[in-house]
Amino acid sequence: AQTVTQSQPEMSVQEAETVTLSCTYDTSESDYYLFWYKQPPSRQMILVIRQEAYKQQNATENRFSVNFQKAAKSFSLKISDSQLGDAAMYFCAYSAVLKRDDKIIFGKGTRLHILP
Amino acid sequence: DTEVTQTPKHLVMGMTNKKSLKCEQHMGHRAMYWYKQKAKKPPELMFVYSYEKLSINESVPSRFSPECPNSSLLNLHLHALQPEDSALYLCASSHGQVDTEAFFGQGTRLTVV
């Protein structure tokens, strides 16, 4: 069975600094997707970034980038130039590819605090 | 339109009530999901409708029943709920096969009294 592990329940970072959130996963599949979702106090889950396992290049979206290490099954999220609006719960998630009953498996989340 | 719309946003119901949560998307997605999320916990999958086929998390009690009238709508019928069922209920949709990125609604905050 696939699992997703986030070992940091909470983290804090000074505004404008850089922070890295950790995620490891376990799967026997060779092709899959990995995601980072953000859930602010407004409750809506917002996709921050996604990575296809077959792509070696790390995904980047503006201030957000990932360090994807497929052999180590590691998928960390780096947030550069942290802003107050980045404060939220961040969930790492996994999804298999090309399966009709595919489901997203979430880690337990990391609550990120931004210090002004 | 990249939205998943959930109604109502808040719901308070008694243990003897029957109510329904509604979810709608117009992105042509063929998979829709219901998740339950307790405070400070990750979402837990309850049901998946993918290509008209229902998949159930077998730990979900029968007082929750999903209904998919068409590929754009997903309802969650609630009956005889318990106070421990109070949670945020999230609906999501995805293409269901090639692109498994899920789009989430804003959720329904359910309180059972």
Side-chain angles (χ1 to χ4, degrees):
Chain A
Q2 296 88 358
T3 59
V4 178
T5 302
Q6 292 178 253
S7 58
Q8 305 150 315
E10 289 196 61
M11 293 189 74
S12 297
V13 64
Q14 209 73 36
E15 194 176 2
E17 297 293 307
T18 295
V19 64
T20 299
L21 309 183
S22 302
C23 174
T24 59
Y25 61 94
D26 191 22
T27 182
S28 57
E29 303 284 343
S30 59
D31 204 7
Y32 47 87
Y33 290 96
L34 295 166
F35 309 92
W36 279 98
Y37 279 91
K38 169 185 177 181
Q39 190 176 37
S42 67
R43 310 175 326 197
Q44 187 165 14
M45 295 281 279
I46 302 165
L47 180 68
V48 174
I49 200 165
R50 83 174 203 179
Q51 174 84 40
E52 289 94 336
Y54 67 88
K55 289 187 177 179
Q56 293 188 347
Q57 187 172 7
N58 289 325
T60 300
E61 286 287 343
N62 301 314
R63 298 183 295 108
F64 299 88
S65 61
V66 297
N67 183 3
F68 174 48
Q69 302 288 329
K70 191 172 184 179
K73 296 181 179 172
S74 169
F75 182 62
S76 60
L77 174 69
K78 185 170 86 170
I79 306 174
S80 304
D81 186 25
S82 299
Q83 300 176 359
L84 293 176
D86 296 333
M89 181 73 92
Y90 285 81
F91 291 101
C92 179
Y94 164 99
S95 179
V97 174
L98 298 180
K99 292 188 176 181
R100 289 200 164 189
D101 60 346
D102 64 295
K103 51 185 79 68
I104 294 178
I105 299 168
F106 290 91
K108 291 190 174 183
T110 296
R111 183 163 298 282
L112 179 64
H113 303 277
I114 310 295
L115 306 174
Chain B
D1 184 2
T2 57
E3 280 194 354
V4 175
T5 304
Q6 288 186 243
T7 55
K9 287 188 168 47
H10 300 273
L11 178 63
V12 179
M13 60 185 290
M15 289 187 282
T16 58
N17 291 158
K18 286 185 182 180
K19 296 286 184 183
S20 297
L21 309 185
K22 298 186 185 301
C23 177
E24 187 171 7
Q25 57 87 15
H26 294 289
M27 294 177 276
H29 289 169
R30 299 300 299 274
M32 295 184 75
Y33 313 79
W34 279 113
Y35 285 86
K36 174 183 176 181
Q37 187 179 24
K38 300 286 271 186
K40 299 183 181 180
K41 298 287 187 184
E44 297 174 26
L45 184 66
M46 300 175 74
F47 304 103
V48 181
Y49 260 101
S50 181
Y51 289 82
E52 288 83 49
K53 178 186 170 187
L54 172 64
S55 298
I56 299 173
N57 179 341
E58 295 189 356
S59 68
V60 176
S62 59
R63 55 186 182 267
F64 295 91
S65 58
E67 179 203 10
C68 194
N70 60 59
S71 59
S72 298
L73 293 172
L74 183 65
N75 299 323
L76 184 63
H77 300 300
L78 315 172
H79 173 56
L81 295 194
Q82 302 297 309
E84 60 264 29
D85 296 322
S86 299
L88 179 68
Y89 289 84
L90 292 165
C91 175
S93 71
S94 72
H95 283 290
Q97 193 167 23
V98 175
D99 181 342
T100 57
E101 172 183 333
F103 293 80
F104 283 82
Q106 285 199 309
T108 295
R109 174 73 64 193
L110 174 68
T111 304
V112 181
V113 297

